[in-house]
Amino acid sequence: MISYSLREHPRAKRINITVRRDGFVYVTKPRRISMRQVEAFIRECEQWIAQAQEKFSKLPKTSYIESSKKEYRKYKDAAHDLVARRVSHLNSFYRVPVSKIIIRNQKSRWGSCSHKGVLSFNYRIVFLPPRLADYLVVHELCHLREMNHSERFWTLVAKTIPDHRERRRELRRLERSLLPDP
């Protein structure tokens, strides 16, 4: 059996397996899923897990955390400037109240927002093509009006980004190279 760390997450919708760069396996499960189901799922994924561990074992060892902090400090201001410009431009259409923009060094998120109008973005947004950065900004602006991913939310997004589905797929393909292992 594979050694792993298990975490139960209240918002998880399915079992998620993550193999980190060091080869360790993390499993996240929804509350309603039993341990028997988790173990069955891990057995189904054994071959994929082994392939991921082997792939990572061939990579050079790096101190990603240290370089990530340096990189964050280096690009934080540029990211803030980019996001502020794009929020100003794109919000001219949506006209939602934005109280603050924060740039963070997040492991697994591109952006988030709060009910108070605070928009947070990952500093790595500066490395994205402009069309994907705009998608992220519009996504968070629309959340200030619709705090969910309902049909109404996606209709709002589509008003300025009609090809949002394609941009989202493109962003997911890029995530592996731009976001660190969680």
Side-chain angles (χ1 to χ4, degrees):
M1 188 67 176
I2 292 172
S3 173
Y4 63 92
S5 174
L6 179 68
R7 184 177 98 157
E8 189 174 281
H9 196 282
R11 291 189 320 229
K13 292 182 173 41
R14 64 188 71 80
I15 301 169
N16 181 28
I17 298 176
T18 303
V19 179
R20 290 193 41 167
R21 188 180 178 106
D22 62 6
F24 197 75
V25 178
Y26 290 87
V27 179
T28 304
K29 79 173 197 69
R31 287 187 177 146
R32 70 185 189 291
I33 300 290
S34 72
M35 282 307 297
R36 184 178 297 171
Q37 290 171 297
V38 169
E39 289 171 3
F41 187 71
I42 291 171
R43 279 192 299 277
E44 287 175 27
C45 297
E46 276 182 350
Q47 184 177 358
W48 175 84
I49 292 168
Q51 288 171 343
Q53 287 173 326
E54 182 166 337
K55 179 182 90 171
F56 286 130
S57 73
K58 293 176 182 174
L59 294 175
K61 304 296 179 217
T62 62
S63 174
Y64 192 86
I65 294 168
E66 185 178 322
S67 65
S68 175
K69 284 181 183 177
K70 286 179 188 173
E71 190 177 77
Y72 170 65
R73 285 191 297 271
K74 181 177 179 181
Y75 291 104
K76 181 181 178 183
D77 292 338
H80 192 278
D81 292 345
L82 168 77
V83 170
R85 282 194 321 271
R86 299 316 295 156
V87 165
S88 176
H89 173 73
L90 294 163
N91 200 23
S92 65
F93 178 81
Y94 292 104
R95 300 198 186 286
V96 292
V98 175
S99 62
K100 190 175 182 181
I101 296 171
I102 298 172
I103 302 298
R104 295 191 170 146
N105 182 6
Q106 298 164 302
K107 290 183 179 180
S108 61
R109 286 180 175 240
W110 284 108
S112 61
C113 67
S114 75
H115 289 285
K116 294 180 179 180
V118 177
L119 298 178
S120 296
F121 291 92
N122 193 316
Y123 81 93
R124 291 175 183 88
I125 195 170
V126 298
F127 301 120
L128 293 175
R131 57 186 259 102
L132 298 183
D134 281 355
Y135 163 74
L136 290 172
V137 169
V138 167
H139 187 106
E140 297 310 326
L141 285 172
C142 290
H143 273 314
L144 293 177
R145 187 159 303 146
E146 289 289 329
M147 284 288 202
N148 54 52
H149 287 111
S150 66
E151 192 173 320
R152 285 191 320 212
F153 168 80
W154 291 113
T155 301
L156 266 178
V157 171
K159 286 185 178 183
T160 55
I161 310 223
D163 65 336
H164 63 86
R165 286 183 184 92
E166 175 53 36
R167 292 189 197 196
R168 190 171 181 200
R169 280 191 291 271
E170 192 176 334
L171 185 62
R172 288 216 169 119
R173 286 192 296 268
L174 283 173
E175 279 179 352
R176 288 190 167 93
S177 61
L178 291 175
L179 292 180
D181 296 330

